[in-house]
């Protein structure tokens, strides 16, 4: 299946095919120096399969986890390219999840003012969401994704077979982004997740999610408006994720919880049932002050507003401007009911 993301001179293909990693060399231009970036949790064989198809591969394996999305690791990738005499004609290939993609995409955007970047996402979250759309970044001074660039890959290869090695928890982590997109944009996708065997229909879930994201990014590449719907659930979700002592939850698990208060009351119990089916419903004892602080780090304590996506009918959305304190109050109320 080929999906073309149409961004004029920055357009590229997303190829979804089981086993495609073994044919990377026939889809990507690897007859040059290639920095293959992966992490310590990704099976070594994936990066090696790609490296074996490159003329001059250099594999860089960073520690897994959010801590690698740092200026230090970014600098280490640049230094590696410099030490191996990478020129403007060489390229970077990400073989990993969202951390690897965001970090290596940012390094590709900066090295010699930009060299080719390809993404081969290996987690469900990155296959469904983060590998396309060109957001690259690192975290800085404790703030997630605060330093980065919009830098589109030249091609994305999505191999659902790579998901076989993913833990159940990592699999659920990715499903959160599919549920997010289904809620705002595709009622049929929501029903598919709700009624069908998820593992058996995962290729269709990936493709339908990618088509939603493609449509959004084509209309609003740099998130001046519509693309904000891809942050559905992320305001509270990021707050939960960043509030220090709760950070043992994965990104998708936090986003899943963040979706609930932003859904209208009439659909909320249906959404919770789907999240339970996806193994994404883990409400915990929330520290709302810490969540508010993390979610609205760039706002004053009160009086300031934030634009959030809300869904009152599955497959549709509204962009709603609310006071930050109202967002927290809504979430608080919603979870105090849910946790009884
Ligand atoms: N993951 C949200 C976006 O790409 O905009």
């Amino acid at each position: 299946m080929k999906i073309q993301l149409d961004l004029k001179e920055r357009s590229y293909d997303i190829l979804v095919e089981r086993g495609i990693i073994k044919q990377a060399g026939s889809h990507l231009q690897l007859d040059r120096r290639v920095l293959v970036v992966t992490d310590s949790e990704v099976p070594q064989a994936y990066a090696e399969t790609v490296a074996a198809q490159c003329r001059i591969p250099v594999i860089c394996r960073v520690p897994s986890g959010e801590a690698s999305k740092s200026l230090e690791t970014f600098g280490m990738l640049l230094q590696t390219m410099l030490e191996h005499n990478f020129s403007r004609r060489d390229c970077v290939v990400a073989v990993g999840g969202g951390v690897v993609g965001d970090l290596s995409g940012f390094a590709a955007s900066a090295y010699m003012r930009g060299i080719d970047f390809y993404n081969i996402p290996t987690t469900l979250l990155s296959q469904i969401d983060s590998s396309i759309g060109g957001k690259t970044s690192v975290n800085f001074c404790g703030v997630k994704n605060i330093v980065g660039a919009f830098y589109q890959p030249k091609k994305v290869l999505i191999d659902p077979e790579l998901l076989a090695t993913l833990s159940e928890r990592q699999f659920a982590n990715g499903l959160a982004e599919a549920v997010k997109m289904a809620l705002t944009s595709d009622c049929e996708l929501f029903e598919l997740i709700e009624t069908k065997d998820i593992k058996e229909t995962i290729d269709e879930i990936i493709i339908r999610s990618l088509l939603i994201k493609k449509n959004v990014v084509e209309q609003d590449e740099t998130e001046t408006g519509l693309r904000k719907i891809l942050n559905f659930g992320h305001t509270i979700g990021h707050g939960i994720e960043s509030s220090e002592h709760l950070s043992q939850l994965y990104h998708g698990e936090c986003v899943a919880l963040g979706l609930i208060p932003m859904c209208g009351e009439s659909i909320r119990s249906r959404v919770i049932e789907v999240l339970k089916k996806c193994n994404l419903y883990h409400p915990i004892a929330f520290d709302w002050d810490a969540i508010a602080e993390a979610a609205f780090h760039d706002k004053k304590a009160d009086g300031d507003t934030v634009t959030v996506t809300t869904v009152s009918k599955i497959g549709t959305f509204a962009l709603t401007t609310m006071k930050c304190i109202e967002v927290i109050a809504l979430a608080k109320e919603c979870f105090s009911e849910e946790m009884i």
Side-chain angles (χ1 to χ4, degrees):
M1 167 94 184
K2 177 160 97 176
I3 298 171
Q4 208 211 13
L5 193 82
D6 186 1
L7 292 170
K8 306 214 168 70
E9 66 283 0
R10 292 179 307 289
S11 297
Y12 53 96
D13 290 339
I14 302 152
L15 305 179
V16 186
E17 194 181 308
R18 289 188 171 259
I20 200 168
I21 195 168
K22 297 188 202 95
Q23 270 86 51
S26 48
H27 298 290
L28 314 178
Q29 225 284 67
L30 301 179
D31 184 20
R32 45 182 162 170
R33 284 185 177 77
V34 183
L35 185 75
V36 181
V37 184
T38 190
D39 79 30
S40 52
E41 230 172 72
V42 176
Q44 215 158 322
Y46 296 172
E48 283 167 1
T49 300
V50 175
Q53 299 170 76
C54 304
R55 184 160 61 87
I56 310 173
V58 178
I59 297 182
C60 226
R61 206 169 170 83
V62 303
S64 74
E66 197 66 22
S68 282
K69 268 180 70 167
S70 65
L71 282 180
E72 289 71 32
T73 320
F74 167 79
M76 186 273 287
L77 296 185
L78 299 182
Q79 192 179 340
T80 305
M81 288 192 271
L82 198 54
E83 284 170 0
H84 287 83
N85 300 315
F86 272 54
S87 76
R88 191 167 281 140
R89 291 177 303 281
D90 296 321
C91 71
V92 176
V93 183
V95 182
V99 167
V100 168
D102 286 9
L103 170 73
S104 49
F106 187 38
S109 80
Y111 189 76
M112 301 187 93
R113 299 193 184 87
I115 62 172
D116 286 354
F117 173 56
Y118 301 117
N119 208 334
I120 307 181
T122 60
T123 63
L124 185 57
L125 188 142
S126 56
Q127 293 195 350
I128 276 180
D129 187 4
S130 65
S131 65
I132 73 160
K135 278 190 179 175
T136 73
S137 63
V138 294
N139 306 328
F140 185 59
C141 291
V143 184
K144 269 175 75 73
N145 300 329
I146 196 72
V147 178
F150 283 100
Y151 193 69
Q152 301 295 342
K154 287 280 180 248
K155 204 169 270 187
V156 180
L157 304 186
I158 296 185
D159 185 345
E161 254 169 36
L162 304 184
L163 304 177
T165 52
L166 223 53
S167 69
E168 289 299 321
R169 197 171 165 204
Q170 276 291 3
F171 191 83
N173 190 42
L175 280 179
E177 303 290 352
V179 174
K180 170 197 82 176
M181 290 194 242
L183 280 168
T184 58
S185 312
D186 187 349
C187 186
E188 276 179 36
L189 174 58
F190 189 84
E191 284 164 7
L192 188 81
I193 299 170
E194 189 173 40
T195 58
K196 294 277 165 47
D197 183 293
I198 292 174
K199 288 258 165 84
E200 275 172 22
T201 45
I202 196 62
D203 294 31
E204 192 179 347
I205 292 172
I206 293 170
I207 288 166
R208 289 189 86 115
S209 302
L210 289 170
L211 289 172
I212 295 168
K213 181 140 183 187
K214 161 196 154 69
N215 278 327
V216 171
V217 172
E218 282 176 351
Q219 290 177 65
D220 179 20
E221 183 182 1
T222 55
E223 200 173 303
T224 52
L226 180 68
R227 190 163 176 170
K228 291 186 202 301
I229 69 164
L230 298 176
N231 298 332
F232 178 41
H234 284 60
T235 304
I236 296 292
H238 270 166
I240 295 173
E241 196 175 5
S242 307
S243 52
E244 216 176 306
H245 58 293
L246 300 175
S247 61
Q248 69 271 23
L249 288 181
Y250 287 3
H251 175 76
E253 294 169 335
C254 297
V255 168
L257 294 172
L259 297 173
I260 297 166
M262 299 295 119
C263 288
E265 275 177 60
S266 63
I267 59 166
R268 209 172 277 155
S269 53
R270 196 173 159 202
V271 172
I272 289 171
E273 284 313 306
V274 165
L275 294 178
K276 281 182 183 163
K277 180 180 177 191
C278 295
N279 203 13
L280 280 168
Y281 186 66
H282 308 291
I284 42 175
F286 297 111
D287 176 345
W288 290 108
D289 290 339
I291 290 170
E293 174 67 28
F296 307 119
H297 64 87
D298 55 346
K299 316 264 179 197
K300 290 183 217 85
D302 56 19
D304 263 320
T305 57
V306 64
T307 300
V308 290
T309 304
T310 53
V311 170
S312 53
K313 180 171 175 281
I314 294 171
T316 66
F317 65 88
L319 292 175
T320 311
T321 300
M322 293 169 78
K323 282 191 169 177
C324 298
I325 46 171
E326 285 170 356
V327 175
I328 293 293
L330 181 63
K332 224 169 170 171
E333 186 192 317
C334 176
F335 283 108
S336 62
E337 281 165 22
E338 293 309 326
M339 289 187 69
I340 292 166

